[in-house]
Every structure is written in structure tokens, then in C-alpha cells.
Amino acid sequence: MSENTLPLASEYEVFVNKQNALAFFMHRHPSLDGAEDAGPFWFAIHNDDTLVAGTEENYAIFPNVSKEVIDIAKQRKIVMIVEFENQKAIRCTPCYLSSVSA
């Protein structure tokens, strides 16, 4: 996959609650449309600041994630990906830490 076709989530927000649950909020991401509803969904951490979440073939890349968020993701081993379209949540996907995370 070339650099121009990477499924980057260029705009996203991260929410953390008092129990350190993580959710990544973003606009609908077309690269996740092909994923089966049942998953399994995973996430992996690359270069200590990039989170990749989805399935083997249908995933989104979250660049420039803060060290604090990466540390919470490693500790909790689960993140939620929440996608919006027309200001409505259309998909909420739990992703579990992959055993092959870097």
C-alpha cells in the first residue's frame, strides 16, 4: 500500500474517562466499511505514537497519539472506535490489543 492510500484518520478526538476507558471519535472512515460486524477487531501500537485499529484488511491508522493515551491503551488492552456521520454515531467498534503489537 502506498503512502497516498494509507487509511489515515487525519482528524480524530480521544476521550478518556475516570476509569481510563478510551474512545477514539472520528468521522465515518470508509476503510472500516468492509469489516464484518462480528469482528474480531484489534489494535496495535507502532513507533510508540501510532495506533492501528480494525481488522486485518479494514483498518484505520491514528497518527500522533500522545504517550499518555498509548500508555492507557496498553494498560486497558481495549479501545472504542466511534464513527460519526451527519452528527450521528453510526458505528461503535471495540478493538482489543493484538498480541503482535510492537
Side-chain angles (χ1 to χ4, degrees):
M1 190 175 286
S2 75
E3 183 72 24
N4 292 334
T5 60
L6 289 176
L8 288 175
S10 57
E11 292 184 31
Y12 63 91
E13 291 185 59
V14 179
F15 292 88
V16 182
N17 71 10
K18 291 179 182 180
Q19 289 77 33
N20 280 344
L22 287 177
F24 285 71
F25 283 52
M26 65 182 184
H27 293 287
R28 180 175 156 247
H29 206 288
S31 69
L32 297 173
D33 288 346
E36 296 289 327
D37 289 342
F41 302 101
W42 53 264
F43 74 91
I45 298 164
H46 299 280
N47 301 323
D48 294 326
D49 72 346
T50 302
L51 190 132
V52 179
T55 66
E56 189 71 28
E57 295 180 4
N58 303 96
Y59 56 89
I61 300 170
F62 298 89
N64 305 315
V65 179
S66 73
K67 180 184 179 334
E68 293 79 17
V69 169
I70 292 291
D71 289 346
I72 293 168
K74 287 178 181 178
Q75 177 214 5
R76 292 290 298 210
K77 299 182 175 135
I78 184 171
V79 300
M80 296 298 290
I81 307 300
V82 183
E83 296 172 85
F84 289 86
E85 190 169 64
N86 298 322
Q87 298 184 359
K88 293 182 182 180
I90 60 161
R91 188 166 33 214
C92 184
T93 308
C95 298
Y96 300 88
L97 182 62
S98 170
S99 60
V100 296
S101 289

